[in-house]
Amino acid sequence: ASDANSDVRLQLAFTVGEIGGPQAAQALATIAERDGDNPWIRTAILSSSAEIADQLLPRISEHQSDLIRELAKIVGSRGKLDEMQRVIASTKSAWGDVAIGLGEGLKRSGKNLRAIPWDPASSQRIDALLAQAKESAITANASNEVRLAGIRLLAFDDFERVREPLSALLNSKLPLEIQSAAVAAISRFNRPERSEEHTSELQSRFGI
């Protein structure tokens, strides 16, 4: 995993997943630390992580946000409760990236972060994160960066919980990027989750 030749590390990243277990996860983490910004090697790491993403995630440096989100998406897509809860329990500073990834993965099966029978500790972390996301999204004097991050997370909540704040962010007096982010978040929900009235409004104003 620490070979000086990048071609060797690329080949190893593609094949080490066949080994499985903590040893493979550590080898991929070592490669990721050195080559995580290389798109080819990052693709190889993700390709090898299908069965061990939950074991690899805690070993990835917090500055590798894209890789963290992609690994968490794999965990969310698998939908295995024990894996998801293990990832939540082991996550510290990159919690927001992990939650986005889990949410993206769950969306593939029509679920959201509220729709899972979490254990109490995981449920508490999810509730706190989504409550903070809602507060950040609607706080007028917060920076656009903070508000946009909050809006993005609201796409993984239950629609009835976020319908009102997201609708309020469609106000034409707000910055265009805030409105656009709200539209993008709303569009992530399946149409059955949105009322007919709400869907008609979005279609007339934004074509979604």
Side-chain angles (χ1 to χ4, degrees):
S2 57
D3 193 288
N5 189 317
S6 62
D7 290 337
V8 172
R9 297 195 301 275
L10 175 62
Q11 184 60 39
L12 180 60
F14 268 121
T15 58
V16 73
E18 299 174 6
I19 300 172
Q23 186 175 6
Q26 186 54 56
L28 288 173
T30 299
I31 296 171
E33 183 63 31
R34 182 169 183 171
D35 300 297
D37 293 332
N38 181 312
W40 295 103
I41 293 183
R42 186 166 66 245
T43 297
I45 291 170
L46 293 171
S47 175
S48 290
S49 299
E51 303 292 329
I52 58 172
D54 62 309
Q55 300 175 54
L56 176 56
L57 260 170
R59 295 174 163 88
I60 300 299
S61 299
E62 62 183 77
H63 69 275
Q64 295 182 307
S65 298
D66 290 342
L67 181 57
I68 288 172
R69 286 194 292 269
E70 289 298 324
L71 288 169
K73 185 190 296 185
I74 292 173
V75 177
S77 296
R78 285 167 61 83
K80 295 188 175 183
L81 185 59
D82 59 333
E83 292 181 359
M84 292 190 291
Q85 290 181 160
R86 188 157 52 242
V87 165
I88 291 173
S90 64
T91 298
K92 296 179 176 62
S93 55
W95 173 220
D97 290 321
V98 167
I100 289 172
L102 289 175
E104 292 278 5
L106 288 169
K107 279 284 188 184
R108 293 184 173 184
S109 57
K111 298 178 182 177
N112 59 61
L113 290 172
R114 299 273 193 192
I116 306 301
W118 304 113
D119 61 30
S122 299
S123 181
Q124 185 176 18
R125 290 199 77 181
I126 294 290
D127 288 347
L129 180 72
L130 294 177
Q132 181 58 58
K134 179 179 177 181
E135 184 66 23
S136 298
I138 64 177
T139 300
N141 60 357
S143 68
N144 279 1
E145 181 180 4
V146 168
R147 299 187 76 180
L148 291 170
I151 294 168
R152 183 177 185 182
L153 278 166
L154 293 185
F156 309 117
D157 203 337
D158 180 79
F159 184 66
E160 287 305 314
R161 289 175 178 262
V162 300
R163 173 182 174 176
E164 185 176 341
L166 286 177
S167 296
L169 295 174
L170 302 178
N171 189 322
S172 60
K173 295 181 180 179
L174 293 175
L176 182 57
E177 60 182 330
I178 297 295
Q179 295 181 64
S180 298
V183 170
I186 293 171
S187 68
R188 298 297 306 277
F189 293 94
N190 295 326
R191 292 200 176 191
E193 297 178 85
R194 295 158 17 191
S195 69
E196 183 177 341
E197 176 185 356
H198 199 251
T199 298
S200 297
E201 178 189 357
L202 290 173
Q203 288 177 329
S204 64
R205 291 185 61 189
F206 302 103
I208 67 172

